[in-house]
Amino acid sequence: MASFNAYDFVYDGIPSHTFDLKIITFDDGGLFSGVGSSNVDILTQRVLRKSKLYYLGRIQQPVLEFPFTFGTAHELSGMDRDLISAWLFGRSGYKKLEVLQDDLNSAWFNCFMTEPEPQYIGGINYAFKCNVVCDSPFAYSPTKTIVTGSFAGESYDFSIYNHSSDDDYLYPVVEFTLSGANNFSLTNLTDNNRVFTFTGLLSTETITVDNDIQTVVTDSGINRLSKFNKNWFRLVPKINNLRVTSSISNLEITYNERIKIGG
């Protein structure tokens, strides 16, 4: 279990020093408690008269959770508590939590803060204790964007190294702008030559594909899903050898790698 040495944090883009708050303690002196992020549920099937279990897959479980306690050296008034609670608790969706500790290398958590408990000393509120509940078993790296720039020709090869600790596919955002072409394909040679392709586009059209949530957006305002082969682009762990076939003025591949900080 890793020790937690940082004092400051940022939640939903707002730094803790805005409210003169600092991380002050954890129940066990560590960032995480309970099951680490490397734990999995193994899915198997037993066949009649055979003693061997057949592997069907695995589910990464559970989502990452850890206790979080923060406070200040001065008394928190009722108005302070209201502002802090509105910032941290009961939010309408997952928010980004950054803990400003050098050895985390700018990793961040997508999370809710739940179960808030005001902490009192001598009847005066100086701190809050809560639970951080993430959207996955992982923390995330800072956003990475690979930009190839313009290219006019039959094909262009390049590579991306996926450093994720998760032994699974990573689905990035792909944005490209055509330059005199009507078709675009991006082949992952490492992923059994899987081809992500669009046909019949406008010659200067910009397409943005979020392969994780499976959305296609274009600056033309036209529904382009019918022009797409539905092979959502993905990165395998480690090296990915890629090939672009088109004439483009820009190509960007944006993603966050998954990090097993929890164990």
Side-chain angles (χ1 to χ4, degrees):
M1 187 170 298
S3 62
F4 197 73
N5 302 315
Y7 289 102
D8 297 306
F9 65 96
V10 179
Y11 189 68
D12 192 22
I14 300 175
S16 59
H17 63 71
T18 302
F19 300 94
D20 196 26
L21 296 173
K22 293 184 179 293
I23 301 166
I24 55 176
T25 186
F26 286 94
D27 290 343
D28 55 7
L31 173 55
F32 304 107
S33 63
V35 181
S37 63
S38 299
N39 192 52
V40 296
D41 285 347
I42 302 172
L43 306 178
T44 59
Q45 178 68 54
R46 187 182 296 277
V47 178
L48 186 64
R49 299 189 184 91
K50 291 185 180 290
S51 58
K52 178 181 177 179
L53 289 176
Y54 290 88
Y55 175 72
L56 301 179
R58 60 96 171 103
I59 300 173
Q60 196 89 21
Q61 292 286 356
V63 297
L64 190 61
E65 295 187 37
F66 53 90
F68 201 67
T69 305
F70 55 89
T72 181
H74 61 76
E75 177 183 355
L76 292 173
S77 67
M79 183 59 69
D80 291 334
R81 289 195 295 272
D82 178 66
L83 293 173
I84 292 168
S85 295
W87 166 42
L88 297 177
F89 307 123
R91 302 300 301 272
S92 60
Y94 290 101
K95 303 299 179 183
K96 183 177 181 179
L97 170 63
E98 302 170 80
V99 178
L100 305 184
Q101 179 170 318
D102 290 342
D103 65 0
L104 292 182
N105 295 320
S106 300
W108 56 277
F109 309 92
N110 200 35
C111 62
F112 279 98
M113 291 195 184
T114 67
E115 303 175 29
E117 297 179 14
Q119 304 292 296
Y120 293 87
I121 300 175
I124 298 175
N125 179 210
Y126 287 96
F128 276 91
K129 177 182 176 182
C130 67
N131 197 41
V132 173
V133 181
C134 300
D135 69 342
S136 77
F138 311 101
Y140 300 99
S141 75
T143 299
K144 295 185 177 182
T145 300
I146 306 300
V147 181
T148 66
S150 62
F151 175 73
E154 290 298 320
S155 64
Y156 170 70
D157 291 354
F158 64 104
S159 298
I160 293 178
Y161 195 94
N162 173 15
H163 291 86
S164 290
S165 301
D166 184 21
D167 188 22
D168 206 344
Y169 299 115
L170 190 64
Y171 290 86
V173 174
V174 175
E175 180 175 293
F176 62 89
T177 301
L178 296 174
S179 178
N182 301 108
N183 303 327
F184 173 88
S185 68
L186 176 60
T187 304
N188 192 333
L189 305 174
T190 313
D191 189 12
N192 296 315
N193 293 317
R194 181 183 175 91
V195 181
F196 163 98
T197 186
F198 284 83
T199 58
L201 302 177
L202 301 177
S203 61
T204 58
E205 191 166 353
T206 297
I207 299 284
T208 304
V209 182
D210 189 324
N211 294 278
D212 186 33
I213 62 175
Q214 299 188 351
T215 60
V216 177
V217 178
T218 170
D219 65 348
S220 70
I222 304 171
N223 187 336
R224 289 307 197 188
L225 200 57
S226 64
K227 304 296 185 180
F228 176 41
N229 70 344
K230 313 302 190 299
N231 277 348
W232 303 98
F233 180 72
R234 63 195 189 187
L235 298 174
V236 300
K238 301 182 173 60
I239 192 68
N240 290 261
N241 296 313
L242 308 176
R243 175 170 295 160
V244 175
T245 304
S246 187
S247 179
I248 57 173
S249 61
N250 190 55
L251 170 63
E252 297 183 4
I253 300 175
T254 302
Y255 58 97
N256 299 96
E257 293 163 333
R258 299 164 183 158
I259 304 170
K260 291 183 178 179
I261 291 178

